[in-house]
Every structure is written in C-alpha cells, then in structure tokens.
C-alpha cells in the first residue's frame, strides 16, 4: 500500500514538473503606437479618403478642409500690397524732384560763392543759399524715411500672406506615418475644427507584446535579447514567433488585473515590451506569451 502511494506521489510530481516546464515565462497583450491624426484647420471637410483597414504611406494627402475664406483673405492681402507699393513709386518721384532742385541750388551756390569771394555778393545771399540747400536735404531725408515706413508696411503684409499660406497648407490633410487606419472618426461634409480627431492610424508591421515579469526574472532578460513568442493557433496549440526585447521598465508596479490569478495580481512586476515582426495575423489586444531562453527559428 505504501509503495502504491509512493508511485502515485512520484507520478503527480512528474506531472507537476511537466506542467511547470510548459508554462511560459510571461504573459501580456499586443499593442502598437497609435497616432491620432487631427484637423489643423476649421471648416467643412470637402473630402476625406480614409477607410478603416486602409494602408497609408507617410506624407500621403488624404483630405481637404474648405479653403474659400482663406483664399479670399489672401487675394485681399495681395491687392493691399499692390496698393501700398504704389505709394513708394509716388514718394520716389517726389524725392527725385527734390534731388533735381538740390542740383540746381548747388549750381547757384557755386556761383554765389565765387561772387562772394570777389565781393560782388553779400553774406546774406550766401546764408540764404546754404539754408535752402539744408531744407532740401531735410525734405529728401523725410522722403527716405517715408519710403522705409512703406517698405515695413509691405513686409507686414507679406508676413500676413505667409500666415495665410501656412493656414492654406494645413487645410490639406496629410497622413504623418506609414501604417494602417484603425478608426475613422470624421466624414466628408462634417464641420471640423482645430484639434478635432479625424482618424487613428498605427504601424502594424512591427507590433509590440507588452508583458510583465517579476523581480526575480529581471536577471534573465536584457534589451536586445531574442525570445520565443507564443500566440494561440487553436484551442490546444500555439504558434511560435521570434521577438526581441526593446524596453524594460525601470520601476515596479502591481500586476494588471487582466493578468493571471487574483493572487498574482497583487505582486509587484516590471513591464517589458517585445518587438515582433507582424505577418498580418497579429492584432492589437491579442494575448501572447514569451519564453526567455527559447528563441524560435521560424
């Protein structure tokens, strides 16, 4: 009887050991870096060629927000700049008249200076011609200042035009990253505003499996280490993939409630992210497991 009980105990121990060997080192769920693309302009969405599951490339234009108001404002600024520019031409012509008058006065000054040296002109005549030349110089300087002021006004209009051009550019909705559209949040014909979400996209070519390990397991892992990734193939078997550890949390946290039993959920663990090349079957939220020392050759 004792021998029979001993055999049963040994068998139970072997089954227990076998079960422990089959148990993976860590569990978690797949995730990806999701990018929410938002509107940078306000107005009616004229078109938005985005569908859930669609693969988009970085820099691809996918939509347009109404630009009529901005276009009219730009036309107004262009006309305003042209009107202001005519003032420079008018001031320049007035300045040229003063320059010619100064040349004439300089001829008179030379003649009066010669007469004054010969005693044929008075000091008052000399003072009068010098005063007239000084007055002309001040008038010419005032024209130069007026032209500089108008040029500054033109530069201000040009800066305003640049701002409108930038706003027009932002009306064209451009996809920022390579990836797959996860959710479409707006439709053509809707009124959008600055910061309103349009669609959500994520690069699913390489997906991350976020798992949690205990402090005792930290010594067995490092960034860059290859690990075996297991995902469900059917109810009884798993599919093996190769993964690489890309991130290990520096701080401990309580095990998330979705992981394992209530007893395990109160343990302190460290989050770890494993990068896995996606063959198209891995989805965000899908559960996965990893083994540290068994990288797959698949």
């Amino acid at each position: 009887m004792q021998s029979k009980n001993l055999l049963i105990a040994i068998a139970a121990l072997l089954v227990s050991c076998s079960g422990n060997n089959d148990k993976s080192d860590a569990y978690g769920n797949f995730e990806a870096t999701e990018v929410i693309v938002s509107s940078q302009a306000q107005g009616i969405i004229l078109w938005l060629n985005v569908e859930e599951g669609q693969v988009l490339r970085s820099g691809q234009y996918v939509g347009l927000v109404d630009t009529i108001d901005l276009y009219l404002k730009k036309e107004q600024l262009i006309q305003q700049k042209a009107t202001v520019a005519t003032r420079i031409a008018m001031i320049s012509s007035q300045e040229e008249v003063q320059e010619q008058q100064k040349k004439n006065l300089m001829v008179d000054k030379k003649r009066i200076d010669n007469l004054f040296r010969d005693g044929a002109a008075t000091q008052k005549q000399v003072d009068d011609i010098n005063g007239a030349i000084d007055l002309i110089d001040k008038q010419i300087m005032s024209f130069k200042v007026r032209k500089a002021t108008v040029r500054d006004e033109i530069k201000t209009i040009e800066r305003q035009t640049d701002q409108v051009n930038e706003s027009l550019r932002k009306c064209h909705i451009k996809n920022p990253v390579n990836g797959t559209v996860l959710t479409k949040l707006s439709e053509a014909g809707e009124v959008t505003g600055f910061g309103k979400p349009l669609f959500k996209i994520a690069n699913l070519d390489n997906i991350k499996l976020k798992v949690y390990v205990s402090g005792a397991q930290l010594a067995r892992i490092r960034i860059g280490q290859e690990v075996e990734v297991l995902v469900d193939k059917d109810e009884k078997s798993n599919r093996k993939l190769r993964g690489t550890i890309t991130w290990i949390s520096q701080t401990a946290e309580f095990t998330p409630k979705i992981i394992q039993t209530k007893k395990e959920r109160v343990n302190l663990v460290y989050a770890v992210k494993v990068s896995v090349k996606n063959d198209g079957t891995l989805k965000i939220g899908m559960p996965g497991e990893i083994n540290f020392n068994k990288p797959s050759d698949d």
Side-chain angles (χ1 to χ4, degrees):
M1 184 67 178
Q2 292 180 349
S3 298
K4 184 177 181 180
N5 291 338
L6 179 60
L7 289 174
I8 293 173
I10 293 174
L13 179 61
L14 290 175
V15 170
S16 175
C17 291
S18 176
N20 288 337
N21 288 336
D22 291 338
K23 189 175 181 180
S24 297
D25 292 320
Y27 302 82
N29 296 84
F30 286 97
E31 61 181 33
T33 302
E34 300 179 359
V35 178
I36 298 177
V37 181
S38 301
S39 174
Q40 299 184 66
Q42 183 169 348
I44 297 175
I45 302 175
L46 298 182
W47 58 275
L48 183 61
N49 292 343
V50 169
E51 298 298 335
E52 294 179 0
Q54 181 181 0
V55 178
L56 301 177
R57 67 179 184 277
S58 176
Q60 180 177 345
Y61 286 99
V62 296
L64 177 67
V65 178
D66 182 28
T67 62
I68 292 297
D69 289 343
L70 290 172
Y71 175 79
L72 293 176
K73 184 176 181 180
K74 180 179 178 179
E75 289 295 308
Q76 181 182 5
L77 289 171
I78 291 174
Q79 183 60 44
Q80 184 178 349
K81 178 182 176 181
T83 301
V84 173
T86 60
R87 288 163 49 191
I88 289 186
M90 182 177 64
I91 295 172
S92 295
S93 64
Q94 293 173 340
E95 183 181 4
E96 290 173 0
V97 171
Q98 296 298 320
E99 292 284 1
Q100 185 60 48
Q101 289 182 352
K102 180 178 179 180
K103 289 181 180 178
N104 296 337
L105 288 174
M106 292 302 295
V107 173
D108 292 341
K109 172 178 169 59
K110 185 176 181 181
R111 184 182 302 114
I112 291 174
D113 286 342
N114 290 334
L115 292 174
F116 183 76
R117 283 195 297 270
D118 295 337
T122 65
Q123 182 65 46
K124 183 177 183 306
Q125 290 176 305
V126 173
D127 293 340
D128 287 344
I129 193 66
N130 287 334
I133 292 173
D134 289 342
L135 180 60
I136 288 290
D137 284 339
K138 291 179 181 179
Q139 289 175 337
I140 292 173
M141 180 58 65
S142 105
F143 286 130
K144 292 184 183 299
V145 171
R146 287 171 60 188
K147 284 201 298 185
T149 301
V150 174
R151 289 193 182 99
D152 288 341
E153 189 174 344
I154 289 176
K155 288 181 179 179
T156 299
I157 296 174
E158 289 174 344
R159 298 292 80 76
Q160 291 175 343
T161 304
D162 291 341
Q163 290 176 340
V164 172
N165 286 333
E166 179 64 14
S167 297
L168 283 169
R169 184 190 67 79
K170 291 179 178 179
C171 286
H172 294 79
I173 303 167
K174 185 167 66 172
N175 176 54
V177 296
N178 294 324
T180 302
V181 178
L182 303 178
T183 310
K184 186 176 183 180
L185 303 170
S186 297
E187 296 288 345
E190 294 181 354
V191 176
T192 188
F194 183 83
K196 182 178 179 180
L198 300 174
F199 61 94
K200 187 185 297 184
I201 190 170
N203 190 335
L204 302 180
D205 292 339
N206 284 281
I207 196 166
K208 299 290 180 66
L209 175 60
K210 186 175 184 180
V211 299
Y212 296 86
V213 302
S214 66
Q217 292 175 302
L218 281 179
R220 300 173 55 193
I221 61 174
R222 66 184 185 282
I223 293 178
Q225 176 180 340
E226 289 189 351
V227 296
E228 179 186 68
V229 177
L230 302 177
V231 294
D232 294 338
K233 184 176 182 180
D234 51 46
E235 294 182 359
K236 297 183 179 180
S237 62
N238 294 322
R239 189 160 56 94
K240 297 180 180 180
L241 299 170
R242 182 187 296 272
T244 303
I245 296 176
T246 58
W247 176 80
I248 302 173
S249 175
Q250 299 298 311
T251 57
E253 58 185 289
F254 287 106
T255 311
K257 294 182 179 180
I258 61 172
I259 303 297
Q260 296 304 300
T261 65
K262 183 176 181 180
K263 180 180 178 180
E264 290 176 322
R265 290 201 297 265
V266 298
N267 293 333
L268 283 176
V269 293
Y270 294 82
V272 175
K273 290 184 180 181
V274 177
S275 177
V276 183
K277 185 173 180 58
N278 191 358
D279 59 1
T281 62
L282 302 180
K283 310 298 181 183
I284 296 175
M286 179 185 291
E289 310 171 15
I290 67 169
N291 289 313
F292 300 140
N293 301 320
K294 300 176 183 179
S296 172
D297 294 329
D298 295 345

